Amino acid sequence: MLTLQYIPHTELQNMESEDKIRKLLNLVKSDRILLVEGRLKPSEETALIERTMEMIDKKFKGIEIGTIYAEKKNIQPYELLKKQFLQFLGYREGITIIGPASIVKEIKRDPNKIELLTRDSKRRKK
Amino acid sequence: MIKRIKEAISSFFANIFNTKKHIKLGLYGPPNGGKCLTPDTEIILYDGQIISVKNLFNQIREQKSQFPNFEDFEEAYIQLDDINILVPSLDQQTLKIVPKKVEFVYAQKYKGLIYKITTKSGRVIEGTSDHPIITISNEGIKRTKLFDLNVKDCISITSNLTLNSNLLLNEIKLENYNINGSSIQSITKYHSYKTKAIEIPKILDEDLASFIGYVITESNHVKNRIKFTNSDQGLLEHFEYLTNKLFNIKTIKRLRENKNWEIEINSKTLTDYLSDVLNFNPALSGEKEIPKQLMGLPNNITSALLKVLFDAEGYVPKKIKNNSTEMEYSSKSKKLVNQVQILLNRFGIVGRFKTKVINGQNYYSLLFAGSDNHRLFRDNIGFTIDYKKERLNELCKSGLKRNKFYLPIMYLLEQIRFKENKLQREFYLDSKHPSRMIKDNRITYHRLKSMATNSDNATINILANSDCKWDEIKNIETKEYDGYVYDITVKDTHTFLLADGLISGNSTLANKITKDWLGEEMSSVSRIPHETREIHQKEKVTIKAGSKKLTFNLIDTPGIATKIDYEDFMKFKMNAKDAKERAKEATKGVIEAIRWLDNMDAVVIVLDSTKNPYSQVNITILGNLAARNIPVLIAANKIDLRKSDVNKIQSAFPQYKVLGISAERGDNIEDFYKSLFKVVK
């Protein structure tokens, strides 16, 4: 059975990066696939990978992460300003999927589509 | 505020490019192990010289004085431009050996496994796992990496080789001699010591080649004297005759205690002259060699030289024991034995090498079996000494069939036969042996040659009339190595010859750079995932192309992953404990790669252009780099594959310069350079 957990932006927006990452990783380690509203900052994303690496052991094999958001190619100047202002408040656009590597084999991403490939459950039990 | 931001950005870039320290170029993508040979590997140049890859590299480095003359470097490529060095090279299409220009020489520090491949005929190549050589099988002729070779695979060696050296002798150094008409006399420091005047020849002819041959083999050659010793009166007389004829020197003949005759030439002028003009210097028996100018002379002069060498040091067995009875040439000098094989290649004679230890000293031998080889020797070279002449005639008459070389291509030939709709009898011109040949998957050259006379098939004709033979691998060893490795790049044909005749592939410069920097696939030093588990900083990496030159510190990272499963390592025959240890190291490598992001001045990211750009983990770092204003170049690799789609990668990252390259074929490397220069300058 797969457990999907939705995490709205409001739940994370007031948290420090470190706490945010700890929270996400703890949930992933309990075998949940997270659907996070918005995106992590680039620095948070690398910090997430860094923490993941530190946690890897016999049981926890790492994570799969994928982000989807619509990016307009020809942005008007005022839109750009608006976007930068919103980014200042947090990357709310799009959605981020994070899952444990022992369950999620691969996250395939296209600009507007996301596919989640899961591992064979028999294999997982090994 | 805008002004302050601008200032911050400009000072950031000023810091990058004005500092005396080299910029740090980060490489994110799977790295690779390079393709190189060990430093002592000797190669053949077209002018007859045999030189180690290390010495060739250093020679070019000295000649290119504009190239930074650093003592300790990680990696360096030098483009030869106007320096014209030719090497004999095998054209893989025609299987003919042709002279080709060396385009680049290359050296790098290397720590890892070195593969030593030994063939049945005693030829050896030592190099890194990625170094290619030419192999033949039922799939045809292809380049195979040392890593991928197996015992019994067949690799190419040269069988016909013609080098090209100058018949005209170099001018003497006028300041060293008193010249009186056609005779010369060495000038010495001491007035009391008078040297004898000698006549000197103008060109390299059969007589001079024979004289050199005698001095190489049976002489005590020191600074001011040459002593020739032999038991054969004919050879003694010939040596005396040549000395008088060529140099107009009187010799002293005396009987030694061991009842051998000795002819002595006391002439400092002669030894000086040989050293000046032919670079022929006194050498210990283990270091004797044929002067390079004698390595590529016309057949008649080469024959005269070989005849003397074999008269003195050649051996023909008295009795014919079996089909594999061999003629032999032995010496304490390995280089001399290699040179003799190169000279014999001129007449199509191919032998095998053997090392034996006598009284604790190494002796090297070249042996060749088969009446076809013996006949070639008799008809083109021959002996002066009567008993050797007679024994050789016996060998030629006896029809020895033993053949060390064959081609493992019977399934390939059978396919051709089916296409041509011929019976085995018609195709192989034999009805008795084909089934055995198919079973053993081997055909001899002799048979292939006779088939070629009866067939229009291009494959059969090219193989039968090729300048190479195929030699079976007998042994593969690996050893740990820590030091420099070297390679050269040959224009068009990308092959060159080692001193013992083994044909080596070279990697193209493009391949070298892209393999080493960008890594086409996981390291093939080992195919185990996460093989590179730590950051490698290569200092002062210098690339030079055209008029541009760039020196930087290359930070070779393990790349960034989000998952590491120790069970993946166990698929590579690793026990659980080692696999866990390795996984732990891999996680540390990823952490380090992430932390290094802060220190980079510019970054090259490698993506696979055949795969979905959005799914590749390394893109995680792009946002990070953009946030820090670190210049980025994206290399979209594998554009040689049909599935490749560079546009897809470009549209995924419109804000970055994306350059399609092929690590395998070396496509677009010039553009890659240009983009790299632009990104960092």
Side-chain angles (χ1 to χ4, degrees), chain B residues 140-335:
Chain B
I141 292 165
K142 62 178 183 183
R143 276 163 191 267
T144 309
K145 295 170 185 176
L146 298 189
F147 176 90
D148 290 322
L149 289 172
N150 294 306
V151 172
K152 291 209 163 176
D153 282 352
C154 283
I155 62 180
S156 63
I157 61 168
T158 172
S159 62
N160 277 298
L161 174 64
T162 304
L163 303 175
N164 189 15
S165 41
N166 200 348
L167 269 176
L168 285 177
L169 289 161
N170 289 336
E171 295 290 325
I172 55 169
K173 289 173 190 155
L174 294 174
E175 68 275 17
N176 293 345
Y177 303 93
N178 289 322
I179 300 166
N180 184 11
S182 62
S183 68
I184 62 165
Q185 187 181 23
S186 273
I187 298 171
T188 60
K189 278 192 261 177
Y190 311 104
H191 294 292
S192 58
Y193 185 74
K194 283 188 179 174
T195 57
K196 294 180 201 99
I198 64 165
E199 299 282 328
I200 52 168
K202 290 278 178 292
I203 57 162
L204 245 171
D205 58 5
E206 292 174 38
D207 286 344
L208 184 55
S210 301
F211 178 82
I212 302 285
Y214 284 125
V215 180
I216 292 170
T217 52
E218 297 280 16
S219 294
N220 174 2
H221 178 191
V222 291
K223 241 180 179 179
N224 51 12
R225 192 180 58 225
I226 293 168
K227 274 190 208 170
F228 176 72
T229 317
N230 204 284
S231 57
D232 187 275
Q233 284 300 323
L235 297 189
L236 289 161
E237 278 167 24
H238 191 217
F239 181 72
E240 210 171 3
Y241 164 79
L242 290 173
T243 314
N244 293 333
K245 188 183 172 198
L246 289 163
F247 308 108
N248 194 18
I249 305 178
K250 282 185 183 165
T251 53
I252 304 164
K253 190 174 178 182
R254 66 168 78 94
L255 190 62
R256 282 170 45 156
E257 282 173 7
N258 62 3
K259 292 182 184 172
N260 272 347
W261 282 91
E262 175 182 275
I263 293 176
E264 186 174 315
I265 311 168
N266 277 308
S267 172
K268 184 176 183 310
T269 307
L270 176 62
T271 51
D272 284 352
Y273 167 79
L274 293 173
S275 169
D276 266 6
V277 172
L278 286 167
N279 197 22
F280 182 40
N281 298 306
L284 295 171
S285 53
E287 285 155 18
K288 289 198 168 182
E289 60 179 283
I290 300 169
K292 75 166 188 183
Q293 208 178 335
L294 272 76
M295 292 300 296
L297 297 173
N299 286 3
N300 59 330
I301 304 176
T302 306
S303 292
L305 174 64
L306 282 170
K307 191 175 196 170
V308 168
L309 294 177
F310 272 85
D311 268 335
E313 286 178 336
Y315 169 74
V316 193
K318 207 172 180 181
K319 283 183 185 169
I320 298 161
K321 285 179 191 164
N322 51 32
N323 247 344
S324 59
T325 304
E326 294 165 305
M327 268 182 75
E328 181 173 349
Y329 179 84
S330 297
S331 168
K332 263 166 110 176
S333 164
K334 189 179 181 184
K335 190 167 188 178

Side-chain angles (χ1 to χ4, degrees), chain A residues 42-47 49-54 56-58 60-65 71 73 101 104-111 119 123 126, chain B residues 560-568 571 580 586-588 590-591 594-595 597 612 614-615 617 619-621 623-624 627-628 648 651-652 654-655:
Chain A
S43 58
E44 288 171 347
E45 203 169 306
T46 43
I49 298 174
E50 210 176 323
R51 294 290 159 277
T52 306
M53 286 296 126
E54 284 167 3
I56 282 181
D57 56 21
K58 198 181 162 188
F60 181 58
K61 309 267 166 81
I63 58 167
E64 277 293 345
I65 178 166
E71 193 166 30
K73 281 181 187 166
V104 184
K105 193 177 161 196
E106 195 185 343
I107 296 177
K108 278 190 177 178
R109 218 185 67 157
D110 254 316
R119 288 186 192 273
R123 227 196 116 183
K126 266 187 203 175
Chain B
I560 294 177
T562 58
K563 58 182 175 185
I564 289 163
D565 187 349
Y566 78 92
E567 284 178 12
D568 286 344
K571 290 173 196 159
K580 280 176 194 165
T587 60
K588 282 182 189 159
V590 176
I591 293 170
I594 291 170
R595 290 184 183 160
L597 278 173
N612 181 357
Y614 299 99
S615 300
V617 173
I619 64 165
T620 305
I621 62 171
N624 226 299
R628 292 163 213 234
K648 199 172 175 185
S651 63
Q655 63 276 46

Side-chain angles (χ1 to χ4, degrees), chain B residues 61-129:
Chain B
R61 202 171 119 179
E62 275 167 27
Q63 282 186 52
K64 287 255 162 192
S65 46
Q66 78 270 30
F67 191 82
N69 194 16
F70 38 73
E71 284 303 309
D72 182 34
F73 60 93
E74 284 288 334
E75 189 172 28
Y77 307 86
I78 312 175
Q79 192 168 3
L80 270 70
D81 298 322
D82 49 333
I83 301 175
N84 197 27
I85 292 182
L86 295 176
V87 289
S89 176
L90 180 79
D91 184 328
Q92 246 175 276
Q93 302 301 318
T94 60
L95 294 185
K96 290 285 172 192
I97 289 177
V98 287
K100 287 283 173 189
K101 192 177 180 308
V102 178
E103 285 188 306
F104 290 89
V105 287
Y106 170 77
Q108 76 163 117
K109 262 188 189 168
Y110 174 80
K111 194 176 178 182
L113 284 183
I114 287 283
Y115 286 70
K116 182 180 179 184
I117 311 289
T118 310
T119 68
K120 231 175 164 181
S121 76
R123 288 165 171 87
V124 175
I125 184 167
E126 276 187 72
T128 53
S129 60

Side-chain angles (χ1 to χ4, degrees), chain B residues 50-62:
Chain B
I50 293 179
I51 187 169
S52 70
V53 275
K54 178 187 175 183
N55 289 345
L56 182 66
F57 176 84
N58 286 331
Q59 224 175 63
I60 306 286
R61 202 171 119 179
E62 275 167 27

